[in-house]
Amino acid sequence: MRLLLVAAAAFFCLSAALSASVTSPATDEAITGSTMPRTLSAFGFFDGSANKPAGHLIRYSLRNPLFSDYAEKERFIYLPGKARMRVDPSGQVDFPVGTALIKSFGYPSAAGKLDILETRVLLRRETGWLALPYVWREDGSDADLKVGGKRLAVSFDTPRGKRLEISYAVPNKNQCKQCHSRDDKLVPLGPIWQEMVFESKAERDAFEERASFPRNGLFPSAKWDDAAASLSDRAASYLYANCAHCHSRRGSASNSGLFYDEALGNYAHSGYLKRPVAAGRGSAGHEFVVDPGRPEKSILISRMKSLDPGIAMPELGRATVHEEGVELLEAWISQISARD
Amino acid sequence: MREHLKFVAAASVLAASMSPLAAKTINVEAGENAQERLQEALILAEPGDTVALGKGRFKLTDGLSLDVDRVTVKGEGVTSTILDFSGQLGSGEGLLVTSDDVVLREFAVENTKGDGIKSKGADRIVYHRLRVEWTVGPKATNGAYGVYPVESSDVLVDSVMVRGASDAGIYVGQSKNIIVRNSLAIENVAGIEIENSFDADVYDNITTKNTGGILVFDLPDLPQKGGHNIRVFENIVIDNMTPNFAPEGNIVASVPAGTGVMVMANRDVQIFDNVLGENGTSNIMIVGYREKTDDKEFQPLSRNIAMWDNQHMRAGWAPDFPGGKEIAAALGGKLPPIFWDGAGGADYAPYVGDNAPAISLGLTDIAASPADARPSQIMPGQEMPAKLPAITLPESMEAVVR
């Protein structure tokens, strides 16, 4: 029995050594240990700069990303050793202990490359997920842990060419959980198999080789900005990506009665003729969250258009108005017909 | 192998029972970079720790949050330790608590953009000796709630002062087993509001200069509804005549100025031994929920409501709801201090054991408008219901405020 164990351990060491090119013990220790590494370099996810992700990371993006003040994002998965992911029948990806999900945020520079401001990591430990925010230094050499969050002065051009100067908020550790919360437990939000997009076949293969899949088919949602899709499908996708992390019976806004991870339609839980509860001045003097046919009277729209922290929705990462998103939801509400 | 595993298990149990080591105090002073320092302290605190706030004005740029169980946040007093959110750039509240067994005491929260202090899913929370204030006084641009526990079991609000909330000063929503006492709510739209909640005692409070003093409400389309078992007693509810300054659309925007205690769509509410007066619409008002709703589980009528031994001073001379003046005129110039809208008919009439006149507006149909009121005296004849038992909280919570 004992011998067998030793043999198994030796084999494990050997296989770890063989796969040294894809993972390192230091990385695994940083992810699964009990500490919060002070610098991002402790994980070895980047080769000396935010623009140089290590070769062993699996890169992906999403059909319907969360709007975060027009920031562009780069997303990666780190898997330890030979560990595998399991895609469940709903498409939710189940990650093994030792996984890290890595997301960098930045704005395009004049030279066209992405100026990365911060990198957030979600670490899958034995005890569950841990979220940590890292802010890149001025010289770009490394990023420092900012558990208390940070504000950064940022200026950039919107897709429509409008110059904006904002106070960009790196969330604190608790704010990470505010969105990434299901039944008060921290969870990843983005990686749902049918919603994931890969830029190349090589990247898709890198994911598929390390994952097992359910027998059932999985069908992606409409892209929120796909003019060919129906308005209600696009609205559902947008509301899911931007609101449902909190507005879920299991999320931070469970008390609101407004739930965007459920069927979207003429229901109170979709906002349809739903009166505000704890909106305060967020109601902007309007009676309903979604006033059918009247976007200008809908609290959903007025809160999306506001930059006032006591009114603005979503509550975090909203120093700018997402004009394209507002226009989509205005168009959607316009074509809902009033009851009676 | 088995032996070895057992040893490891024993060792880890030992380690778990030993850690965390002694609870510690983390001191945070006002001054430069208060946001980052205070937020870091709230994140790095471990169960059992106290985050001690120094004297002075903490100038904050964002909401703060606490997500660690069994942490006490303690200042040097409500005039000495001030969390100043006038420069707040983000977050829906000043301080958000999402962990259990938290104690908040002896500090002030001023001028948040949204709610003052919110606790969500935070069981056994204690709010003690706090001040939450919008220093301009009543204004529609103030935040909605002063203290805002929601979706929690065992809530104690004791010796808290709230001024200027554009919705409710002290608001408890969708919670269970609640005590609000020894507190002062002044110049809010609603002084104290218990909404969609079960088992609450509201006593020994003063609510004055609000639009409405104490509200007990239930609303449709929420995860927890069917509010019941609420006792409102030994409060002073005087001069709640501030014109309603809630933003339209909110349910409290419909509360008439001059409301003392108002019960809507709840059952088993008992109001006794209060002192009420100088409330121009009514000292005690019992109504149904009169908005349209598709929520089939929602019960819009107030039922099994009782009041006794309240002291009534002047009320009803300036009824601030549509049709109110006409009804008052028909009754000789003013409304009596107690009225019920009549929703549901005689079976739903409240028990009135007060030595004061009480009427029904006769709006039996929940969809009827106050303009169709047919006022009539509420006749005694009902039997007084059994008294609800007092709310008890875990001893650990009471020990905090003793």
Side-chain angles (χ1 to χ4, degrees):
Chain A
M1 181 67 188
R2 230 170 250 262
L3 265 180
L4 201 63
L5 254 186
V6 171
F11 176 76
F12 180 74
C13 289
L14 191 66
S15 66
L18 279 175
S19 57
S21 60
V22 287
T23 69
S24 84
T27 299
D28 293 337
E29 170 57 27
I31 294 171
T32 58
S34 58
T35 61
M36 298 190 281
R38 306 299 304 177
T39 58
L40 190 62
S41 57
F43 296 100
F45 297 147
F46 297 92
D47 293 336
S49 117
N51 296 102
K52 291 184 191 160
H56 56 266
L57 301 182
I58 302 168
R59 182 195 285 259
Y60 69 100
S61 55
L62 297 173
R63 293 174 66 79
N64 291 299
L66 168 72
F67 173 76
S68 318
D69 284 330
Y70 290 105
E72 289 186 18
K73 305 171 196 177
E74 293 186 341
R75 301 171 185 81
F76 308 94
I77 301 167
Y78 168 88
L79 287 174
K82 300 220 170 298
R84 295 180 63 79
M85 301 172 281
R86 195 181 68 85
V87 177
D88 82 6
S90 71
Q92 196 79 45
V93 184
D94 183 20
F95 295 99
V97 169
T99 299
L101 300 176
I102 302 141
K103 184 151 84 166
S104 294
F105 292 67
Y107 293 93
S109 68
K113 81 174 191 7
L114 197 60
D115 267 347
I116 289 174
L117 301 167
E118 53 145 340
T119 296
R120 307 177 192 171
V121 298
L122 276 175
L123 310 176
R124 178 71 171 90
R125 295 185 163 175
E126 283 287 355
T127 47
W129 290 93
L130 175 71
L132 297 174
Y134 291 84
V135 176
W136 286 89
R137 295 174 189 165
E138 288 280 342
D139 65 5
S141 60
D142 201 349
D144 298 303
L145 176 65
K146 291 286 175 195
V147 288
K150 192 159 186 70
R151 284 194 170 269
L152 305 167
V154 168
S155 59
F156 60 92
D157 295 325
T158 70
R160 291 177 181 174
K162 195 193 283 181
R163 189 81 185 152
L164 292 178
E165 290 181 14
I166 64 165
S167 170
Y168 176 95
V170 179
N172 69 51
K173 180 171 166 279
N174 288 350
Q175 290 172 326
C176 295
K177 185 179 164 189
Q178 236 170 288
C179 293
H180 284 268
S181 170
R182 280 291 171 275
D183 300 328
D184 209 32
K185 284 201 176 58
L186 200 133
V187 294
L189 294 168
I192 293 169
W193 168 243
Q194 65 273 27
E195 299 296 308
M196 296 171 80
V197 177
F198 300 89
E199 263 175 43
S200 66
K201 181 171 183 307
E203 285 175 4
R204 172 174 286 267
D205 288 348
F207 185 96
E208 289 185 350
E209 280 165 12
R210 302 292 296 274
S212 58
F213 295 90
R215 286 160 180 273
N216 55 301
L218 289 167
F219 305 96
S221 63
K223 285 189 74 168
W224 74 275
D225 55 355
D226 176 5
S230 80
L231 270 176
S232 59
D233 286 350
R234 292 170 61 195
S237 291
Y238 188 88
L239 291 164
Y240 184 86
N242 288 278
C243 315
H245 42 274
C246 293
H247 281 281
S248 158
R249 285 175 208 270
R250 302 168 62 204
S252 296
S254 57
N255 57 307
S256 66
L258 187 65
F259 304 125
Y260 286 119
D261 55 350
E262 300 180 14
L264 185 70
N266 295 353
Y267 315 115
H269 75 244
S270 299
Y272 181 84
L273 293 173
K274 181 186 186 302
R275 293 174 189 279
V277 183
R281 62 202 176 90
S283 75
H286 304 322
E287 274 188 282
F288 303 113
V289 177
V290 171
D291 195 337
R294 301 201 296 175
E296 73 287 355
K297 294 277 184 197
S298 298
I299 296 169
L300 178 75
I301 299 298
S302 64
R303 297 191 83 164
M304 286 178 70
K305 281 182 168 174
S306 175
L307 293 179
D308 182 324
I311 297 173
M313 281 288 158
E315 286 186 352
L316 303 176
R318 266 274 278 101
T320 58
V321 174
H322 188 204
E323 291 179 13
E324 299 79 0
V326 168
E327 287 166 15
L328 166 65
L329 294 183
E330 284 177 335
W332 169 63
I333 293 174
S334 295
Q335 51 91 60
I336 304 174
S337 53
R339 180 167 64 172
D340 300 337
Chain B
M1 162 69 186
R2 290 247 167 98
E3 284 306 307
H4 176 68
L5 261 183
K6 257 187 210 161
F7 173 72
V8 170
S12 60
V13 165
L14 194 67
S17 64
M18 282 167 64
S19 69
L21 299 169
K24 60 184 183 300
T25 297
I26 306 170
N27 292 295
V28 184
E29 301 300 326
E32 273 301 286
N33 227 359
Q35 178 73 38
E36 216 170 309
R37 289 185 293 110
L38 178 47
Q39 183 58 66
E40 284 203 13
L42 295 171
I43 287 170
L44 299 175
E46 292 176 292
D49 288 353
T50 296
V51 175
L53 309 173
K55 286 189 174 151
R57 191 168 279 274
F58 291 70
K59 299 208 171 200
L60 301 161
T61 54
D62 274 287
L64 298 166
S65 54
L66 172 63
D67 189 40
V68 183
D69 293 343
R70 292 197 291 118
V71 168
T72 294
V73 182
K74 184 179 187 303
E76 300 269 330
V78 298
T79 53
S80 298
T81 298
I82 297 153
L83 304 184
D84 178 350
F85 288 91
S86 48
Q88 188 180 359
L89 297 172
S91 298
E93 57 279 309
L95 171 61
L96 173 66
V97 177
T98 48
S99 46
D100 297 335
D101 300 288
V102 165
V103 176
L104 307 174
R105 61 188 300 167
E106 281 123 20
F107 60 88
V109 167
E110 287 186 0
N111 300 324
T112 53
K113 303 291 186 213
D115 304 314
I117 308 176
K118 176 176 177 181
S119 52
K120 178 171 181 286
D123 295 342
R124 295 173 302 284
I125 189 161
V126 178
Y127 290 85
H128 185 47
R129 291 194 189 135
L130 300 169
R131 174 171 62 91
V132 178
E133 186 168 5
W134 285 270
T135 53
V136 294
K139 209 172 169 196
T141 50
N142 293 348
Y145 300 140
V147 303
Y148 175 16
V150 64
E151 286 189 341
S152 302
S153 293
D154 299 324
V155 173
L156 176 57
V157 178
D158 188 326
S159 308
V160 168
M161 181 259 198
V162 183
R163 173 171 176 255
S166 70
D167 196 307
I170 297 169
Y171 172 96
V172 184
Q174 300 182 63
S175 292
K176 295 172 185 166
N177 216 45
I178 300 144
I179 293 179
V180 178
R181 69 185 178 211
N182 303 327
S183 293
L184 170 65
I186 180 167
E187 291 183 315
N188 308 286
V189 174
I192 299 170
E193 182 170 1
I194 307 294
E195 192 165 271
N196 291 57
S197 287
F198 312 156
D199 305 310
D201 273 357
V202 178
Y203 64 97
D204 289 348
N205 302 287
I206 298 176
T207 61
T208 186
K209 295 190 164 45
N210 306 286
T211 302
I214 300 175
L215 313 184
V216 181
F217 279 16
D218 207 62
L219 301 179
D221 299 319
L222 292 177
Q224 178 172 308
K225 56 202 159 197
H228 63 271
N229 290 9
I230 318 284
R231 305 195 309 161
V232 177
F233 59 100
E234 293 174 13
N235 300 286
I236 295 174
V237 186
I238 300 278
D239 185 23
N240 292 288
M241 291 295 287
T242 296
N244 196 316
F245 61 99
E248 284 295 321
N250 291 285
I251 188 74
V252 294
S254 64
V255 172
T259 296
V261 174
M262 180 172 179
V263 177
M264 183 172 74
N266 264 254
R267 72 169 168 81
D268 295 291
V269 179
Q270 303 191 341
I271 305 160
F272 54 96
D273 293 340
N274 300 285
V275 176
L276 309 113
E278 294 304 308
N279 300 307
T281 293
S282 171
N283 279 343
I284 301 178
M285 191 190 312
I286 314 296
V287 300
Y289 178 83
R290 292 185 172 271
E291 307 287 357
K292 239 187 214 174
T293 172
D294 286 336
D295 187 341
K296 295 194 171 51
E297 292 163 19
F298 178 70
Q299 168 55 272
L301 305 176
S302 284
R303 58 259 185 242
N304 212 20
I305 312 297
M307 61 198 83
W308 63 86
D309 294 346
N310 297 293
Q311 289 183 46
H312 291 270
M313 294 178 290
R314 193 167 78 120
W317 73 92
D320 178 36
F321 58 90
K325 283 195 177 62
E326 291 74 4
I327 300 169
L331 294 172
K334 63 177 198 152
L335 296 181
I338 302 165
F339 79 75
W340 165 50
D341 64 354
D347 289 349
Y348 293 85
Y351 167 80
V352 180
D354 285 357
N355 186 19
I359 56 163
S360 164
L361 297 185
L363 299 167
T364 310
D365 177 359
I366 195 75
S369 135
D372 304 326
R374 305 179 57 183
S376 64
Q377 200 87 18
I378 297 178
M379 291 302 166
Q382 285 227 354
E383 227 176 285
M384 183 166 161
K387 290 182 181 177
L388 291 169
I391 299 298
T392 52
L393 293 171
E395 170 54 25
S396 58
M397 295 175 71
E398 291 287 359
V400 166
V401 303
R402 201 167 291 132

